[in-house]
Amino acid sequence: MKTHLYYFNWQLQLTLYGSILDDLEKMDQEHDIYFLSCNGILKPCWSNRDARDSACKRCKFNQKSGISGIRRKVHNLKIEEFVNPQEIEDIFQNQNFKYDTVEDIKLIRYKGIRIGYGALSSYISWTRNREPIIDDKFKIYFNKLLKNEILLKEAIDRVLEAIKPEVITIFNGRTADVRPVFETALQNGIFLRGVENIMPRLTEFRKVVFENVLPHSIQWHTRRINEH
């Protein structure tokens, strides 16, 4: 029996959540499934960039409704079970991150995780602004993303210690609320499956799984093209 951890936090995006649930339900019955998600502590996140309480409530409803329909045993875990907000605040303050340029941000790490890249990926996707003015207003919001990545890193380390998964499945992997899980799996030599959706046509979704790599890896795609 393999211990298999699923991590997903975008339950407001139903086509993506559906792909994860489909993947989970079709997974080998020899896998003991744990499902880790957020109960509101990771605000702002990819699906709720404005940290709205109403969006959190809908996300929790979708989470519960989706999992309840799965026809197999799933152990549900919440990030909140593994971390304390005040502890994370203290850790964040002790980091004393300083950054004035995008290049500075790219160098920000926590426990070997490139949290600067994760936060920047989310920010640029939301704003389409690759050269933001890094003033006090920017830093107030951006620091929330960095703090959330520290929180997620601390949580995933403790989850790994508690259940010792042999496989981890995520969706995508590049954004602030996923990247710490992606990079932690690679750090620990745990086999990682990154689920992604593609659209061959406007009315069709297909699920693709990337193993131990981001879907955006230029090196991986170059090698795949050459192989074909």
Side-chain angles (χ1 to χ4, degrees):
M1 182 73 74
K2 280 189 177 180
T3 301
H4 189 152
L5 174 66
Y6 277 75
Y7 168 73
F8 187 75
N9 196 51
W10 300 355
Q11 282 83 343
L12 288 175
Q13 300 183 53
L14 297 182
T15 54
L16 310 187
Y17 189 29
S19 291
I20 284 287
L21 293 177
D22 177 74
D23 188 80
L24 188 160
E25 189 160 61
K26 292 176 179 176
M27 183 53 59
D28 190 326
Q29 290 297 319
E30 291 301 311
H31 285 220
D32 190 21
I33 304 292
Y34 288 79
F35 194 100
L36 175 67
S37 192
C38 161
N39 200 37
I41 199 170
L42 276 183
K43 294 188 294 187
C45 65
W46 178 255
S47 295
N48 186 13
R49 65 195 69 172
D50 299 321
R52 289 174 287 116
D53 289 338
S54 59
C56 260
K57 289 180 181 178
R58 286 190 289 113
C59 186
K60 293 174 191 177
F61 175 81
N62 291 349
Q63 158 73 12
K64 184 177 180 180
S65 299
I67 287 291
S68 66
I70 295 297
R71 296 185 296 268
R72 67 180 297 164
K73 184 177 181 180
V74 177
H75 310 282
N76 283 296
L77 304 175
K78 296 298 181 185
I79 293 170
E80 285 84 346
E81 299 170 24
F82 296 90
V83 291
N84 177 282
Q86 187 56 55
E87 173 195 13
I88 302 304
E89 180 65 33
D90 293 342
I91 292 173
F92 176 76
Q93 294 300 332
N94 287 336
Q95 303 308 304
N96 195 27
F97 292 131
K98 295 186 184 300
Y99 53 91
D100 296 301
T101 67
V102 168
E103 293 306 312
D104 290 340
I105 290 173
K106 291 178 180 180
L107 297 176
I108 297 175
R109 293 176 180 255
Y110 177 72
K111 289 189 173 181
I113 302 300
R114 294 175 291 179
I115 62 174
Y117 259 108
L120 197 60
S121 180
S122 289
Y123 181 85
I124 292 173
S125 289
W126 293 334
T127 65
R128 299 302 175 187
N129 181 8
R130 295 174 57 192
E131 299 179 355
I133 298 172
I134 302 179
D135 54 13
D136 288 343
K137 183 179 180 181
F138 174 90
K139 289 183 178 180
I140 288 172
Y141 185 82
F142 202 80
N143 282 344
K144 293 178 184 178
L145 299 179
L146 295 175
K147 188 192 302 182
N148 280 350
E149 290 193 82
I150 290 175
L151 185 153
L152 184 54
K153 172 58 177 169
E154 289 293 328
I156 192 62
D157 280 349
R158 296 168 195 185
V159 171
L160 298 191
E161 180 63 29
I163 70 171
K164 296 179 172 54
E166 298 164 79
V167 183
I168 295 178
T169 294
I170 59 173
F171 193 96
N172 192 282
R174 69 175 174 85
T175 60
D177 53 350
V178 188
R179 187 151 200 149
V181 178
F182 168 77
E183 292 199 20
T184 297
L186 299 186
Q187 276 183 341
N188 288 272
I190 300 172
F191 183 72
L192 182 119
R193 304 171 68 253
V195 176
E196 183 59 271
N197 279 357
I198 63 172
M199 294 181 66
R201 52 184 65 87
L202 289 177
T203 57
E204 181 183 355
F205 285 93
R206 289 187 186 176
K207 180 181 68 180
V208 181
V209 176
F210 295 82
E211 299 178 352
N212 295 318
V213 69
L214 287 175
H216 322 86
S217 169
I218 293 173
Q219 293 84 357
W220 184 88
H221 283 288
T222 299
R223 187 175 70 249
R224 183 167 176 258
I225 289 167
N226 288 333
E227 287 172 354
H228 282 284

